[in-house]
Amino acid sequence: LQNTYCLHSSDSTPAYFSSSDRRATDTAMSMKAALALLAVLAAVNLASAVRKDEVTLTMVNAGTTGQFRLSMSTANANNMTFERVTCQSEVLNDCPQQRVLKDDQNDFIRVNFTLFNAKGPNGTLATFRGLTPIRIEARLCYTLTSATDRAWRKKNKAYPRLSQNCPRLVGKRDWNAASTGNATQLGLDNSGSFTKDFNTFDEIPDATWFASLWVYCNGPTEEQLCAYVSTEKSTNTSAPNPNQAYMQTQVVMGVTTGMKIACGIMSAVGPLFFVIFFIADNLHYKKTGKPIHWF
């Protein structure tokens, strides 16, 4: 017999609940509690997703722009003579005279930088919040044209998620101002360059790119972006970017001849298998009166 429980209400009318009813009620309450907990955890994760020390390029650029000259050069392994990228357009195929880089043609990209107009105290580099530089990185970033209909390429997010817009790291090194006299670190003697073999990049699309130089500083809790310069067109028409330049890449056919042959073989094997099985099953049935059993 099923257990029952008797409860008396205020009007002395007994109410009976079976054990199955009670279990159903407990399960419903547990599910509600679990959903409430998930909602709380989601809210906590959303609140912690954007850290307090994240900054945007607008914040970094205030007072830190115009301190570097930045340029790009390209070359091929067959002739390692680097040619400067001078294309002023971010539209695909607008500069046919420029080399189009691919990740299977032994192409090279070089990002050149020169610190020529330091705006900080006593001729030092001006940084966001006056933080101390520790490292520089050169990156390739998608242009606005190449980010159309591709939200993951746009630079509308706070740093460090801004790196989704600049996914290709050309090079990085420690920062060491010449005045420190520290010979144990790779020095920054006002200028330098980073060179990258395009063969080391994967999944290069049809796109146009600009170069950027990121300066990292020691922040209150961790490293953060504190100075920035790029070869992207300035949004201020009255103050054009003297570094403006764009390069272009072209996608490489990812399906090799071997893969095409393998796909052809597999496409033929499938129908052939079913034909063989159909014939074998019919012959087996005529002989035994039973179909083929695989298991």
Side-chain angles (χ1 to χ4, degrees):
L1 294 177
Q2 198 173 45
N3 293 329
T4 58
Y5 302 88
C6 178
L7 299 177
H8 290 278
S9 59
S10 57
D11 60 358
S12 299
T13 302
Y16 292 90
F17 296 87
S18 67
S19 58
S20 59
D21 292 334
R22 187 172 185 176
R23 285 195 298 271
T25 302
D26 292 341
T27 302
M29 293 179 65
S30 299
M31 291 180 64
K32 289 181 179 179
L35 290 174
L37 179 60
L38 289 174
V40 171
L41 291 175
V44 171
N45 289 335
L46 183 62
S48 60
V50 180
R51 298 192 300 272
K52 292 182 179 179
D53 60 345
E54 282 190 342
V55 295
T56 63
L57 282 182
T58 302
M59 297 165 62
V60 172
N61 282 340
T64 69
T65 57
Q67 300 184 96
F68 287 93
R69 285 282 185 260
L70 195 65
S71 65
M72 293 181 287
S73 302
T74 61
N76 186 272
N78 296 326
N79 179 16
M80 288 298 289
T81 301
F82 281 87
E83 301 175 357
R84 181 164 179 170
V85 176
T86 58
C87 181
Q88 298 285 295
S89 173
E90 62 181 77
V91 179
L92 283 170
N93 304 317
D94 257 14
C95 299
Q97 75 279 7
Q98 297 274 196
R99 178 182 283 108
V100 177
L101 274 63
K102 305 177 182 179
D103 61 6
D104 70 339
Q105 299 294 319
N106 297 318
D107 289 327
F108 288 81
I109 178 67
R110 175 172 290 172
V111 177
N112 312 284
F113 64 90
T114 300
L115 175 63
F116 78 103
N117 184 30
K119 299 179 180 179
N122 302 317
T124 59
L125 181 73
T127 61
F128 178 66
R129 294 174 180 165
L131 299 174
T132 302
I134 58 172
R135 189 176 74 256
I136 56 175
E137 289 185 2
R139 289 181 173 271
L140 296 179
C141 309
Y142 288 113
T143 62
L144 290 176
T145 299
S146 295
T148 302
D149 298 328
R150 294 173 174 84
W152 59 92
R153 294 182 180 179
K154 295 180 180 178
K155 58 173 185 177
N156 57 352
K157 301 175 181 179
Y159 173 84
R161 289 190 298 274
L162 176 69
S163 59
Q164 292 177 336
N165 167 245
C166 305
R168 306 300 178 185
L169 177 66
V170 180
K172 62 182 179 179
R173 65 192 244 188
D174 292 335
W175 174 276
N176 180 38
S179 59
T180 64
N182 187 347
T184 62
Q185 294 182 342
L186 184 62
L188 178 67
D189 299 325
N190 295 330
S191 64
S193 64
F194 297 101
T195 304
K196 187 74 170 182
D197 183 348
F198 247 67
N199 284 8
T200 61
F201 288 139
D202 291 326
E203 299 179 358
I204 293 296
D206 287 334
T208 51
W209 308 72
F210 62 89
S212 63
L213 188 71
W214 296 12
V215 181
Y216 288 85
C217 290
N218 274 326
T221 58
E222 61 182 0
E223 297 177 6
Q224 70 175 53
L225 188 67
C226 59
Y228 173 89
V229 65
S230 78
T231 65
E232 187 179 24
K233 180 180 179 180
S234 174
T235 56
N236 186 354
T237 56
S238 61
N241 183 3
N243 302 316
Q244 182 177 334
Y246 299 99
M247 56 161 283
Q248 180 177 334
T249 57
Q250 184 175 330
V251 68
V252 177
M253 182 63 172
V255 181
T256 64
T257 303
M259 292 176 67
K260 292 179 179 178
I261 294 174
C263 289
I265 293 174
M266 295 305 294
S267 298
V269 167
L272 181 62
F273 171 80
F274 284 111
V275 170
I276 294 173
F277 176 78
F278 177 78
I279 296 173
D281 185 58
N282 276 275
L283 292 175
H284 186 268
Y285 184 81
K286 289 178 180 179
K287 183 178 181 179
T288 65
K290 298 178 181 179
I292 293 177
H293 292 285
W294 293 96
F295 300 101

